[in-house]
Amino acid sequence: MSKNLQVETEISKISAMLLEQSHLRLLGSDSWTFPLQLADIKMKTVVRSQMDVLMKMILKILDRLEVKQANEISELLAVETIFVEHMLELMMQNKMVEKLETTYQLTTSGSMHLTKGTFAHDPMDEHVEIAFSSYHNESLERDYSRNVFDEDGNIPDFRFENETDLVDVKNLDELHIKQMIEDSGYEFLVENGQKLIEEICSVDLKKSLRVVCLEFHLHDRTEDSVFIRVWNTWTGKFDTRFEDELNQKEASRLRKLFID
């Protein structure tokens, strides 16, 4: 299906959906594009889970008593020494416990974990893809069933330039990127706890897209008002960001053109 035919087909579908409301009259339609950046983000994540009972008991003992050997803890808890040794090794790897000379001691991190009752597992290297729109200043979640792109440059750009400079996704600060990942539908709840983003390692631009939006000029015969709706084919939803701007700048002109 050609791009223009695809656009016309989508306009027909959305028009029919809008006109299911009998008080609405379609005055006209249009199509245009906006830029979208697909970025691959490499990050370090850590899973935080509820602390194991044995781990919590060992930390409490180390917080209150001077312990030199693992078997001292195993005798107090009535568990095999091998389990205590394994847990001590794990906590030392995660810098929750340290051995100073001959004595096991809690670190600041270990005391914090004991207070919170949670355990942070070893960090993992991961990557996630987000779609960043400078116009929205956020990531947009994709509806794969309705996307329309303009790869040949035959459809015009959105006619109002962004009031601020279009930001490159690679220049966003880490806090903004973390928020976009959270908003992108990335799954943070895992089987053994909750995943946290510890560090953003890199942001690589994979592709720039020209996503098509469909614009509809409508007359509400009940309220005698003219307004604009915009269907974003990337998200498969009406886009309030574009609608607000267009209604503010063009609704009165359209009323004079079609109604007054």
Side-chain angles (χ1 to χ4, degrees):
M1 184 183 294
S2 69
K3 292 295 185 297
N4 288 340
L5 183 55
Q6 190 178 5
V7 168
E8 291 173 7
T9 301
E10 287 299 306
I11 286 177
S12 296
K13 289 179 181 178
I14 306 305
S15 297
M17 180 174 67
L18 288 166
L19 295 179
E20 288 176 359
Q21 303 173 74
S22 58
H23 62 286
L24 295 183
R25 180 165 64 104
L26 182 64
L27 303 175
S29 61
D30 198 0
S31 62
W32 37 264
T33 68
F34 74 96
L36 195 68
Q37 296 177 321
L38 295 186
D40 184 69
I41 299 173
K42 293 183 175 62
M43 59 186 179
K44 286 189 181 296
T45 62
V46 62
V47 174
R48 191 178 299 279
S49 59
Q50 288 299 309
M51 189 176 290
D52 180 274
V53 174
L54 178 58
M55 180 183 290
K56 184 180 291 187
M57 295 304 297
I58 292 174
L59 289 174
K60 285 182 176 180
I61 289 172
L62 296 180
D63 189 41
R64 298 171 185 173
L65 302 175
E66 184 175 292
V67 175
K68 295 183 178 181
Q69 300 293 333
N71 67 314
E72 297 174 37
I73 298 174
S74 65
E75 290 174 5
L76 285 170
L77 298 178
V79 298
E80 294 289 339
T81 302
I82 189 171
F83 296 128
V84 175
E85 290 175 340
H86 171 74
M87 193 63 74
L88 285 171
E89 183 179 347
L90 177 63
M91 291 190 291
M92 291 178 72
Q93 288 175 355
N94 285 275
K95 297 181 173 54
M96 297 166 64
V97 171
E98 60 187 354
K99 195 167 188 180
L100 297 178
E101 297 181 353
T102 59
T103 304
Y104 289 103
Q105 293 186 3
L106 288 190
T107 63
T108 302
S109 175
S111 297
M112 180 188 69
H113 280 86
L114 179 58
T115 300
K116 291 184 176 181
T118 59
F119 169 63
H121 299 251
D122 290 337
M124 299 179 293
D125 293 322
E126 290 194 69
H127 72 93
V128 62
E129 183 178 279
I130 64 165
F132 172 68
S133 166
S134 288
Y135 276 94
H136 301 77
N137 198 31
E138 61 186 18
S139 61
L140 300 183
E141 196 166 352
R142 182 177 187 177
D143 176 358
Y144 284 87
S145 65
R146 304 295 284 270
N147 304 153
V148 183
F149 308 114
D150 179 32
E151 298 173 357
D152 303 321
N154 295 326
I155 300 174
D157 295 333
F158 181 52
R159 55 190 173 280
F160 295 112
E161 291 186 4
N162 201 357
E163 293 180 358
T164 58
D165 293 335
L166 294 178
V167 180
D168 192 305
V169 66
K170 293 185 291 186
N171 295 330
L172 297 175
D173 61 58
E174 185 164 306
L175 186 62
H176 194 160
I177 293 171
K178 285 181 178 180
Q179 185 62 53
M180 288 198 300
I181 295 171
E182 291 178 11
D183 295 339
S184 70
Y186 178 82
E187 185 58 68
F188 283 93
L189 291 177
V190 293
E191 185 177 351
N192 56 343
Q194 183 174 13
K195 194 179 293 185
L196 303 173
I197 301 174
E198 191 172 72
E199 179 187 355
I200 300 296
C201 302
S202 65
V203 180
D204 298 314
L205 180 62
K206 291 180 62 179
K207 193 173 184 180
S208 294
L209 301 173
R210 289 165 51 86
V211 178
V212 175
C213 280
L214 311 176
E215 179 181 327
F216 301 89
H217 307 151
L218 297 159
H219 177 219
D220 185 326
R221 286 177 286 206
T222 302
E223 298 184 1
D224 191 26
S225 61
V226 172
F227 61 97
I228 298 169
R229 300 301 311 266
V230 175
W231 182 265
N232 187 324
T233 66
W234 176 267
T235 61
K237 298 177 182 177
F238 287 108
D239 194 310
T240 56
R241 157 65 182 85
F242 290 121
E243 288 178 350
D244 289 345
E245 181 171 5
L246 289 170
N247 279 303
Q248 181 182 0
K249 294 179 177 178
E250 296 209 331
S252 59
R253 179 184 67 81
L254 289 173
R255 179 177 181 82
K256 290 177 182 178
L257 181 63
F258 291 106
I259 307 299
D260 295 343

